[in-house]
Amino acid sequence: MKKNILYLGIAVIIGLIGGYLIFSDSSDSGDQKITDVHDHSEDSTSEMWTCSMHPQIMQPEPGDCPICGMDLILAETRGEGLAANQIKMTKNAMALANIETTIVGNLKQGDNDGVISLSGKIATNEENNAIQASFFDGRLEKLNISFEGQEVKRGQLLATIYSPNLVAAQQELITATSLKESQPALYKAVRNKLKLWKLSTRQIDDIESTGEVHENFPLYATVSGTVVMVMAAEGDYLKQGQPILKVSNLNSVWAEFDVYENQISQFKKGQKIKVTTSAYPNKEFDAVISFIDPVLNSSTRTVTVRTTLKNNENLFKPGMFVSGKIKGTAQAPGESLNIPSSAVLWTGERSLVYVKPNPNDAIFEIREVTVGPRNGDNFTITSGLQNGEEIVTNGTFTVDAAAQLRGKKSMMNKSGGKTMTGHKGHLGMQGGSDIKPNTIPTMNMKLPKEFQTAFQAALKPYLKMIDAFVASDARQVSAMAKMTFEKMKTIETRGLGKMEKSHLSKSIELFSAISLNSELKTQRAQLVVLNENIVALAMNIKSPVETLYLQKCPMAYNGLEAIWLSTQSDIKNPYYGEAMLTCGSVIKTIE
């Protein structure tokens, strides 16, 4: 009986304790649920939704983008405590932009064996050039060689010249022939005079024996080679020594490569270099460096490195683009780091990367670095990064665009503090945050006639580059950018103001950057800034050779809009190609 009472008492106690625990948890959980609901409602009111293509769209609830109709995504929350050089992104935004990161040090310098990639162009060997000149005064009656590329052989009839002085000299020879016995010195002097005018002994003997004076005298080639320049035309009156043709022997040519200032120490005469060309992709040509230009090009910050190539099979054509690979001077371990070239943003003055300081947070920090030689698809970083740091290697321009939208420090905004609106705050210039949407900033520039003529000539390969962007052909984009770069850097800047020079200089830098880049996505990002500078100059051309259409894509560059020039009113979008070929509109006509 006592045992039963004891068991019953224990059961009651256990029941009371259990009931207390159950009802206590239920009450707490109910309170917690109420709190959770309350907190959630507070969070929901602070949530903002945006468009991945148009980040300027911000709405308090999900839905469709009013511009393009795409589903809105959850925007990142405004984190506090971020520095001016830091930007935070959501996981969703990172996934949409395909942002990838790499830990510095995972790439070893030995992966490329220290190989430096160069781009260049075939040029005529100046040592093999010769000028075919007129050896006496006269009128050019007939020119048998009239266009570049013709082959000329020594002794070939080049032209026929009427020369009053030569007619008189022939008459003197005929007269002196009759006095050969009595005045041999006079006779000899007349013959020597004709020899100095490059008449052959046979020609002189023929005049002497026939006694006939030739009014139109033949001019024969004294050199062999390919005509690279015709310097006179029929009907011209030539002075003694005036050039008629420029002839080059193309049995050997020069391959000239552009080497950046920070790469110069990696090169020396006698180094072996392997040359390839897109015309013969399966062939590799061995050569050695024969010349390094002692003068630096101040506008491009490059020097020319030259090698001489044998061309007996006539494979190389002057003007052809070539690539070179050379093993640079080895550097001591630990002095530098290698990172993918896609990680580096280059403005012409600064080289920048985005670093992820904390691997657990999606915060990116812009960092200025010092770039050394390019080794294959990698850049050597000599300062600014440490081994083990994590950097953005894919989607770098997207991160930078997000930073620009939020007024953070970025590639084109060194100090930060200004939010980009409308037309990108005019990326090609300082500041410009007050520009309104759908307006094109105009600047009055004074451009000399000589500049306008040369600039329009440089626009021809630029327009072909735009066509290559439309076709999404990165290789052709590089080739046309290189050609435009070559034309732009020869434009005379005398008479230009500081602003005009700045736009031209920035254009030259960006053409060079695009020509050296093989990734279409990066080329298109650089095209945005390039077009800002090109358009600013083009809008001040007084009488363009052909009508130019200024066109705009409202979706390019993450919805910040981008412009370009075309000779056709039909829209062919260079920023998206076939993906959105007709996206855009004509906003101005330059007639």
Side-chain angles (χ1 to χ4, degrees):
M1 188 67 178
K2 290 181 179 180
K3 288 183 178 180
N4 291 336
I5 294 172
L6 179 62
Y7 291 149
L8 181 61
I10 293 172
V12 171
I13 293 171
I14 293 174
L16 290 172
I17 294 173
Y20 173 79
L21 292 174
I22 291 171
F23 287 107
S24 175
D25 287 347
S26 176
S27 176
D28 290 345
S29 64
D31 293 341
Q32 183 65 39
K33 285 179 181 178
I34 294 172
T35 304
D36 289 345
V37 170
H38 176 73
D39 292 343
H40 180 74
S41 63
E42 286 184 354
D43 289 343
S44 64
T45 59
S46 63
E47 285 181 352
M48 296 296 289
W49 296 77
T50 185
C51 174
S52 59
M53 295 298 294
H54 301 93
Q56 71 269 33
I57 299 299
M58 286 288 177
Q59 293 185 0
E61 56 186 21
D64 296 334
C65 175
I67 297 177
C68 64
M70 292 179 63
D71 291 337
L72 296 181
I73 61 174
L74 189 63
E76 66 173 78
T77 57
R78 299 280 179 173
E80 297 295 332
L82 294 181
N85 64 336
Q86 292 181 332
I87 177 71
K88 185 175 183 180
M89 301 182 70
T90 63
K91 292 182 179 180
N92 212 357
M94 290 178 62
L96 285 170
N98 194 25
I99 293 173
E100 297 177 1
T101 60
T102 299
I103 296 177
V104 177
N106 286 356
L107 290 172
K108 299 179 181 178
Q109 190 154 340
D111 292 343
N112 292 292
D113 296 327
V115 175
I116 300 174
S117 298
L118 301 172
S119 62
K121 189 171 67 173
I122 296 295
T124 58
N125 187 340
E126 297 289 345
E127 295 175 345
N128 293 341
N129 287 352
I131 296 294
Q132 179 68 56
S134 174
F135 302 113
F136 39 81
D137 297 347
R139 185 175 65 244
L140 187 58
E141 294 291 328
K142 185 176 181 181
L143 183 61
N144 296 330
I145 304 297
S146 56
F147 61 88
E148 297 176 6
Q150 281 184 279
E151 293 294 327
V152 173
K153 293 184 179 180
R154 185 184 181 92
Q156 178 181 341
L157 178 63
L158 293 182
T160 303
I161 298 177
Y162 167 71
S163 173
N165 291 341
L166 189 55
V167 169
Q170 291 178 81
Q171 189 61 56
E172 288 178 6
L173 176 62
I174 295 171
T175 302
T177 301
S178 61
L179 303 174
K180 180 167 54 175
E181 299 297 332
S182 60
Q183 298 187 38
L186 175 62
Y187 169 74
K188 186 176 181 181
V190 173
R191 284 185 66 92
N192 287 338
K193 181 180 179 180
L194 294 174
K195 286 182 179 179
L196 291 175
W197 282 345
K198 297 298 181 180
L199 270 68
S200 65
T201 302
R202 182 178 177 180
Q203 287 176 306
I204 297 172
D205 290 341
D206 181 62
I207 297 169
E208 185 177 335
S209 61
T210 60
E212 295 180 1
V213 174
H214 301 282
E215 291 185 354
N216 295 329
F217 211 83
L219 180 67
Y220 295 98
T222 57
V223 294
S224 298
T226 302
V227 177
V228 293
M229 187 181 296
V230 179
M231 309 174 77
E234 291 183 1
D236 289 351
Y237 192 90
L238 305 176
K239 295 291 185 181
Q240 185 176 357
Q242 183 173 334
I244 299 175
L245 301 172
K246 185 177 181 180
V247 179
S248 179
N249 188 334
L250 298 181
N251 287 337
S252 68
V253 294
W254 285 343
E256 296 182 330
F257 300 94
D258 292 326
V259 173
Y260 286 102
E261 186 176 3
N262 54 19
Q263 294 178 310
I264 295 175
S265 62
Q266 300 286 304
F267 299 89
K268 60 182 179 181
K269 289 183 181 180
Q271 272 182 298
K272 293 181 180 180
I273 182 170
K274 291 189 178 293
V275 180
T276 57
T277 175
S278 56
Y280 311 101
N282 298 325
K283 288 189 175 183
E284 200 170 57
F285 304 89
D286 294 323
V288 296
I289 294 178
S290 58
F291 174 78
I292 299 176
D293 197 333
V295 179
L296 180 77
N297 186 321
S298 58
S299 62
T300 61
R301 310 306 300 175
T302 61
V303 297
T304 300
V305 171
R306 179 191 302 155
T307 182
T308 304
L309 297 171
K310 292 183 179 179
N311 194 32
N312 295 328
E313 298 179 8
N314 201 29
L315 298 178
F316 298 107
K317 316 292 183 185
M320 181 183 289
F321 288 108
V322 291
S323 300
K325 290 186 178 180
I326 186 169
K327 192 170 184 179
T329 305
Q331 294 184 351
E335 285 187 357
S336 59
L337 297 167
N338 273 9
I339 66 172
S341 57
S342 60
V344 181
L345 297 173
W346 181 67
T347 69
E349 298 176 355
R350 300 182 297 149
S351 298
L352 307 164
V353 298
Y354 273 94
V355 180
K356 192 177 181 185
N358 188 336
N360 299 320
D361 292 333
I363 297 175
F364 302 98
E365 178 180 298
I366 195 168
R367 181 91 58 82
E368 188 167 344
V369 296
T370 303
V371 177
R374 180 167 183 161
N375 302 326
D377 293 329
N378 300 331
F379 275 124
T380 300
I381 303 298
T382 57
S383 67
L385 282 178
Q386 294 182 0
N387 194 21
E389 288 190 296
E390 189 173 358
I391 62 171
V392 177
T393 52
N394 189 59
T396 318
F397 276 96
T398 304
V399 177
D400 191 75
Q404 293 186 48
L405 276 170
R406 288 158 179 78
K408 298 286 187 174
K409 289 184 178 180
S410 61
M411 178 175 69
M412 301 307 295
N413 191 356
K414 189 174 182 179
S415 58
K418 292 183 178 181
T419 302
M420 296 172 59
T421 61
H423 208 280
K424 303 177 292 307
H426 203 57
L427 284 175
M429 298 182 292
Q430 301 274 338
S433 61
D434 56 346
I435 294 173
K436 298 178 181 179
N438 302 321
T439 61
I440 300 300
T442 57
M443 293 166 292
N444 293 323
M445 299 183 184
K446 294 182 179 180
L447 303 178
K449 286 186 177 180
E450 296 79 6
F451 175 87
Q452 294 188 38
T453 301
F455 180 76
Q456 290 185 83
L459 282 182
K460 292 182 178 179
Y462 158 82
L463 293 167
K464 291 182 179 179
M465 182 189 74
I466 294 295
D467 292 339
F469 271 112
V470 172
S472 298
D473 187 343
R475 184 185 292 271
Q476 184 68 3
V477 166
S478 295
M480 290 299 103
K482 178 74 171 177
M483 187 177 297
T484 315
F485 164 75
E486 295 290 345
K487 286 184 174 292
M488 283 280 183
K489 71 179 184 179
T490 61
I491 295 178
E492 178 60 54
T493 59
R494 185 167 41 193
L496 292 181
K498 185 177 180 180
M499 178 175 62
E500 291 84 349
K501 286 182 179 179
S502 175
H503 281 287
L504 178 63
S505 175
K506 181 61 68 176
S507 298
I508 291 172
E509 290 173 1
L510 287 163
F511 277 120
S512 176
I514 293 173
S515 70
L516 295 172
N517 206 302
S518 58
E519 186 179 341
L520 187 62
K521 185 177 180 181
T522 303
Q523 290 174 331
R524 279 176 167 153
Q526 292 167 330
L527 178 66
V528 175
V529 186
L530 169 65
N531 278 329
E532 293 285 337
N533 290 276
I534 287 292
V535 168
L537 293 167
M539 290 180 69
N540 287 276
I541 295 176
K542 300 301 180 185
S543 301
V545 176
E546 55 185 333
T547 300
L548 295 174
Y549 297 94
L550 179 58
Q551 300 174 339
K552 179 183 69 175
C553 172
M555 299 180 69
Y557 207 55
N558 291 333
L560 297 178
E561 302 181 354
I563 54 177
W564 73 95
L565 291 174
S566 175
T567 55
Q568 298 178 353
S569 58
D570 295 339
I571 300 297
K572 292 184 178 180
N573 194 311
Y575 297 104
Y576 291 102
E578 291 184 358
M580 290 194 293
L581 185 62
T582 58
C583 178
S585 60
V586 176
I587 56 175
K588 189 176 180 63
T589 303
I590 309 172
E591 296 181 344

